Amino acid sequence: MWIWLVLLYGILKGVREIVKKKALEENSTIEVLFMYTFLSFVMVLPTAKHSVGIEPRFYLYIAMKAFVIFLAWMFSFRAIKKMPISLYGVLDLSRVFFATMLGVAVLQEVLGVLQVIGLLFVSAGLFLLKYHPKSLRAANSVEAVEAKYVVMAFVSCLLNAVSGLLDKILMRDITSYQLQFWYLLFLTLFYLTFILVTRTPVKWKRAVSNKWVWLLSLLIVVADKALFVANGMEGSRITVMTLLKQAGCIVTILAGRFLFKEKDTTHKLVCAAIIITGIVLGVM
C-alpha cells in the first residue's frame, strides 16, 4: 500500500509543478508561496483536534522541517519561473541521489543489486540530459538557462531530500495529522515573517483570486497526506520512496510539450524514460 501512496504523491507532485508554473504567471513568487501555504493550512484546520498532545521536542523538529521546506520552495519557485517546466522536471530527479545518500548514511538502509542498477539508470538519464547532440540543443536546453537557476533547482532537491528524511524520522513517533497540521502552520508563519521583515509588497486581492493557487493548495494537502501516511507504514524505505516520487517527471515533460509548447521535449522524454526504468528496477 505504501508504494501506491508514494506513487500517487509522485504523480501529484508532477501536476503541482505545472500548476506552480501557471500560478507564477499571475503572481510573484512570495505571493504564491504564502497564499497557497496559508490556504493549505486552512484546509487542514478541521484536523486540529487530532494534532495536539505531542511532546514539546517534536514542535522543534517539525519547525526545522518547515524551515527546510521554506528555503527549498524559495529556491524551486524562483528556478521554475525562469526555466522550461520539462527541464525543471528532469533536473528535479537529482534528489534521488541526495535522498539515497541520506537513507544509507542516516537510516542505515541497504541497497540491493536492482536498486544499484536503478540508480545507474537514473544517473545515465541525467548525464544524457546534459550531454546530448548539438542538433538538439534548442533555446530551452540546460546551457540556455542561467547557471544560478540550475543551482537553485539542485539546492532545492537537496533540501527536499533532507525534508524527506525528517518525515521518515518524525513519523516513527507522531501521526500524519500532527505532522501535517504543525508543519503547515510553521511554514505559513515563516513566509509571513519573511514578508514582514523584508517589507515585500504583496497584492493580496490578486493572489486570493488566482485559481491556480487554490488548486495548488488542494494538491499539496492531498499529496503530503499520502506521503506522511506512507512514511508511517512498516517496511517503507526512503531510498525506494524517493525513486517512486520521481514518476512525476513524465507529467512535467508532457505538460512542457502540450501545454507550454516547449521544444526539445522528445530528448527530455527519452532521458525521463531511462530514469523511470531505473525507478522501476529500484522498487522490484
Side-chain angles (χ1 to χ4, degrees):
M1 177 59 72
W2 66 267
I3 290 178
W4 289 108
L5 286 173
V6 179
L7 187 60
L8 172 63
Y9 172 87
I11 294 172
L12 292 180
K13 177 179 173 295
V15 176
R16 270 165 47 191
E17 306 304 344
I18 301 167
V19 178
K20 286 178 189 176
K21 189 81 171 176
K22 299 296 291 185
L24 288 167
E25 291 176 357
E26 301 181 25
N27 289 98
S28 68
T29 298
I30 193 62
E31 287 171 349
V32 173
L33 280 169
F34 172 77
M35 189 54 63
Y36 103 82
T37 304
F38 172 71
L39 291 174
S40 298
F41 174 68
V42 171
M43 291 179 184
V44 301
L45 270 178
T47 68
K49 62 181 179 181
H50 302 295
S51 305
V52 296
I54 61 177
E55 295 180 26
R57 61 190 175 99
F58 287 114
Y59 291 111
L60 175 61
Y61 299 153
I62 297 172
M64 288 172 55
K65 170 191 162 55
F67 186 70
V68 167
I69 288 296
F70 162 76
L71 294 176
W73 286 357
M74 290 289 279
F75 285 124
S76 68
F77 270 62
R78 281 177 167 78
I80 201 171
K81 190 172 185 176
K82 297 294 184 177
M83 68 172 59
I85 186 69
S86 54
L87 173 59
Y88 179 85
V90 180
L91 287 176
D92 190 55
L93 292 164
S94 64
R95 72 174 64 188
V96 171
F97 299 108
F98 301 127
T100 299
M101 288 187 291
L102 289 171
V104 173
V106 181
L107 300 179
Q108 304 298 308
E109 294 185 1
V110 179
L111 294 176
V113 175
L114 286 177
Q115 288 174 326
V116 172
I117 295 174
L119 282 172
L120 291 175
F121 268 85
V122 171
S123 302
L126 288 171
F127 181 82
L128 289 173
L129 174 68
K130 174 69 178 178
Y131 298 100
H132 54 288
K134 292 182 179 179
S135 60
L136 292 176
R137 289 180 178 175
N140 64 342
S141 65
V142 176
E143 292 80 359
V145 177
E146 283 189 53
K148 65 179 181 180
Y149 296 116
V150 175
V151 172
M152 284 182 183
F154 280 124
V155 172
S156 173
C157 289
L158 173 58
L159 293 173
N160 274 290
V162 172
S163 174
L165 174 67
L166 291 173
D167 287 342
K168 186 64 179 173
I169 295 173
L170 286 168
M171 284 303 298
R172 293 171 177 173
D173 300 291
I174 63 177
T175 68
S176 59
Y177 289 111
Q178 292 168 332
L179 178 55
Q180 189 169 44
F181 179 86
W182 293 106
Y183 154 65
L184 286 173
L185 174 58
F186 284 128
L187 194 56
T188 301
L189 293 175
F190 284 140
Y191 286 121
L192 180 59
T193 300
F194 178 86
I195 291 172
L196 295 176
V197 171
T198 61
R199 298 182 180 180
T200 303
V202 176
K203 299 176 181 177
W204 297 108
K205 185 175 181 180
R206 188 173 179 180
V208 172
S209 62
N210 188 338
K211 61 181 181 297
W212 298 107
V213 171
W214 287 84
L215 179 56
L216 200 54
S217 303
L218 179 61
L219 287 172
I220 191 175
V221 169
V222 176
D224 279 1
K225 182 67 174 180
L227 183 62
F228 295 157
V229 171
N231 269 296
M233 289 185 171
E234 186 177 352
S236 60
R237 300 173 57 192
I238 191 172
T239 48
V240 177
M241 293 173 75
T242 304
L243 290 171
L244 283 167
K245 291 176 186 178
Q246 310 317 309
C249 76
I250 296 296
V251 178
T252 59
I253 291 173
L254 291 176
R257 165 170 282 188
F258 297 110
L259 292 181
F260 298 99
K261 308 302 180 183
E262 296 173 2
K263 300 177 182 179
D264 197 20
T265 51
T266 300
H267 176 260
K268 292 170 188 172
L269 193 59
V270 171
C271 293
I274 295 172
I275 295 168
I276 293 300
T277 301
I279 294 174
V280 173
L281 290 172
V283 299
M284 289 179 65

